[in-house]
Amino acid sequence: MTKAKSNLQIDSARLWGDIFETAKFGGTPKGGVRRLTLGPEDKQVRDWFRTACEKAGCEVSVDALGTMFAIRRGRDMSKPPIGIGSHLDTQPTGGKFDGILGTLAALEVVRAMNDAGIETEVPICVCNWTNEEGSRYAPAMMASAAYAGEYTTEDILSRKDADGITVAAALDTISYRGADAVGKQKFSAFVELHIEQGPLLEAEHKTIGVVDRGQGIIWYDGTISGFASHAGTTPMPLRKDALAAFSEVVLAVEKLARDHGPHAVGTIGEVKIDNPSRNVIPGDLAFSAEFRSPESATLDALHEGLQKAVAKIAARRKVTINLEKIWRKEPTVFDTRLVDAVANATQELGYSNRRITSGAGHDACNLATVMPAAMIFVPCKDGISHNELEDATQADCTAGANVLLHTVLALAGVASEAKAGG
Ligand code: HGY
Ligand code: MN
Ligand code: MN
């Protein structure tokens, strides 16, 4: 096997052009991207992605949950491919880079190999995982979780969004409910490039994050039932105010996370009052909550603490609070051989770097439970993500894609490449 020239680089302008080209699908006036999974804008970007992968000589397939796999042939097609890629769906107030950089950089890696006339020993598979964000349908990283065996395909297909539309119906609407069973596409390893979505790399002026761990996550759905009554005539001591009780739950989540710092985090991102009215004391509401920590024991402590806090609030305020744990993702430890391959490629290319734990969840975190997996981070401006202001530099995105290229070449093996200048 020959060794790829370490000066082999991706085409920076082509990658950057793709990022801005695809940002049009669901582009928002503030420069963000609103491309909820399985919606019309997701179909647009999926169609664009399929065409671009086929133009790059890949064979594209789609599985029963809509995940897309684009195979670039290798010399030995009997071996499972090296998987690369990420996701193309976004948050409602998403940006141009979260998931999109990793998916388009994976496509760019294939094109750079094509341009260099490189044939790899084993095939390469570029992936677009369905519903990584978990905003329209829970859980997050839904399709890769099903791929890793955490959920059955039937369970996921039956999941409903806020309008009662199932995943199955949404897939059919955009014609991305593939014939292939989830899990049919095998891999020998998976490497994902992603923006850090946090402030560390930028603050330390590091170009590359060599990701060795990922936080664990717990998601909850909650309801609070008090008693709706007249805002003017109900004396304060007699109230069963669901929203006032909820406000104590919010502060309890925040306090628990702070008390288990510095790495634990807790957030309540959604609340919906049933039949809200300015002169009715809120009787019923629904909300979602989440905790994250790199340590499983801390997740246990946070979970226990929240149960206790909620029971106390409910008793004191004479309301009923139901808290359902709907998802728990254990912390991820990525494969050391792969993490070292990322570190070696980074060193060879001469990029400043540091080891880093991922605060966000990623498809690679699910895949790491069933195959060797690793991640590469690049900085994003002010660490902002899940916000339309999300931004990154062309130079950093290019560096990340170059590290992905050389990591993949090391893992896939170079069977042959065009003569220099050939
Ligand atoms: O929630 C997450 O960490 C990811 O952005 N879906
Ligand atoms: Mn993401
Ligand atoms: Mn995200």
Side-chain angles (χ1 to χ4, degrees):
M1 251 192 299
T2 62
K3 203 161 159 6
K5 302 183 198 68
S6 63
N7 62 351
L8 186 64
Q9 308 258 325
I10 60 109
D11 183 322
S12 175
R14 188 165 55 189
L15 172 60
W16 199 244
D18 283 351
I19 289 171
F20 280 78
E21 166 84 11
T22 53
K24 284 185 230 155
F25 306 130
T28 65
K30 283 191 196 167
V33 181
R34 178 189 174 87
R35 192 158 69 214
L36 294 187
T37 193
L38 306 185
E41 301 80 10
D42 190 21
K43 174 172 178 53
Q44 287 178 304
V45 79
R46 284 166 171 268
D47 292 347
W48 179 95
F49 178 68
R50 175 196 287 275
T51 307
C53 288
E54 287 169 347
K55 258 200 212 139
C58 295
E59 193 182 325
V60 178
S61 64
V62 181
D63 76 8
L65 291 180
T67 294
M68 301 172 79
F69 304 99
I71 298 273
R72 180 185 195 262
R73 298 183 67 81
R75 173 168 294 185
D76 183 351
M77 288 304 286
S78 69
K79 295 246 174 60
I82 303 285
I84 51 179
S86 188
H87 62 92
L88 292 172
D89 65 304
T90 76
Q91 288 286 337
T93 55
K96 293 191 273 290
F97 299 90
D98 174 357
I100 299 141
L101 170 61
T103 312
L104 299 182
L107 168 61
E108 177 51 36
V109 159
V110 164
R111 289 168 170 162
M113 288 180 184
N114 293 346
D115 295 349
I118 285 177
E119 181 189 34
T120 53
E121 272 302 326
V122 303
I124 308 292
C125 180
V126 177
C127 310
N128 167 31
W129 292 96
T130 295
N131 187 30
E132 189 280 343
E133 292 296 358
S135 177
R136 181 180 178 190
Y137 296 102
M141 300 102 82
M142 184 179 84
S144 54
Y147 180 94
E150 282 184 49
Y151 302 96
T152 65
T153 301
E154 294 63 39
D155 172 4
I156 296 295
L157 286 172
S158 68
R159 299 281 173 117
K160 290 188 177 152
D161 67 7
D163 299 324
I165 300 170
T166 61
V167 167
L171 282 166
D172 289 338
T173 304
I174 64 167
S175 312
Y176 272 90
R177 188 172 176 184
D180 291 345
V182 172
K184 178 186 173 204
Q185 178 59 57
K186 304 297 179 208
F187 298 99
S188 54
F190 186 81
V191 185
E192 181 171 1
L193 167 63
H194 206 287
I195 51 170
E196 178 200 339
Q197 299 180 291
L200 300 181
L201 292 176
E202 186 185 56
E204 296 177 17
H205 307 293
K206 296 282 193 285
T207 303
I208 298 292
V210 181
V211 188
D212 48 17
R213 291 171 61 90
Q215 285 199 116
I217 307 174
I218 305 181
W219 274 15
Y220 300 93
D221 277 345
T223 58
I224 300 181
S225 293
F227 190 76
S229 57
H230 198 298
T233 58
T234 312
M236 293 310 283
L238 299 184
R239 294 182 178 210
K240 294 182 180 177
D241 185 332
L243 191 55
F246 172 69
S247 65
E248 288 197 51
V249 174
V250 173
L251 295 177
V253 164
E254 186 185 54
K255 183 173 184 318
L256 279 161
R258 286 183 191 282
D259 291 351
H260 288 84
H263 299 303
V265 289
T267 311
I268 290 193
E270 294 169 293
V271 59
K272 192 166 174 288
I273 301 171
D274 292 7
N275 306 307
S277 170
R278 65 178 67 239
N279 49 0
V280 175
I281 298 164
D284 293 285
L285 62 82
F287 65 95
S288 67
E290 67 151 66
F291 284 125
R292 302 193 192 203
S293 167
E295 307 303 332
S296 196
T298 305
L299 288 177
D300 294 339
L302 289 162
H303 177 70
E304 214 183 301
L306 183 58
Q307 308 287 27
K308 283 190 186 137
V310 158
K312 277 194 192 136
I313 296 164
R316 187 160 30 79
R317 287 182 167 270
K318 299 188 184 60
V319 297
T320 306
I321 305 181
N322 283 319
L323 198 63
E324 186 197 350
K325 184 172 72 176
I326 62 165
W327 178 46
R328 174 161 172 155
K329 169 96 192 87
E330 286 306 313
T332 303
V333 179
F334 287 111
D335 176 88
T336 34
R337 184 179 66 88
L338 252 61
V339 173
D340 289 347
V342 170
N344 294 341
T346 304
Q347 296 294 80
E348 259 181 40
L349 290 161
Y351 294 126
S352 59
N353 63 89
R354 60 158 280 176
R355 294 284 166 123
I356 193 167
T357 293
S358 175
H362 300 285
D363 292 310
C365 298
N366 284 332
L367 299 171
T369 63
V370 290
M371 68 183 78
M375 292 193 75
I376 305 160
F377 275 177
V378 292
C380 54
K381 193 168 177 322
D382 303 330
I384 294 172
S385 184
H386 286 194
N387 180 310
E388 292 166 275
L389 295 174
E390 182 184 276
D391 200 3
T393 67
Q394 181 173 351
D396 287 344
C397 291
T398 303
N402 281 329
V403 172
L404 182 65
L405 170 64
H406 285 273
T407 302
V408 168
L409 287 172
L411 295 173
V414 177
S416 66
E417 61 185 306
K419 292 285 155 281

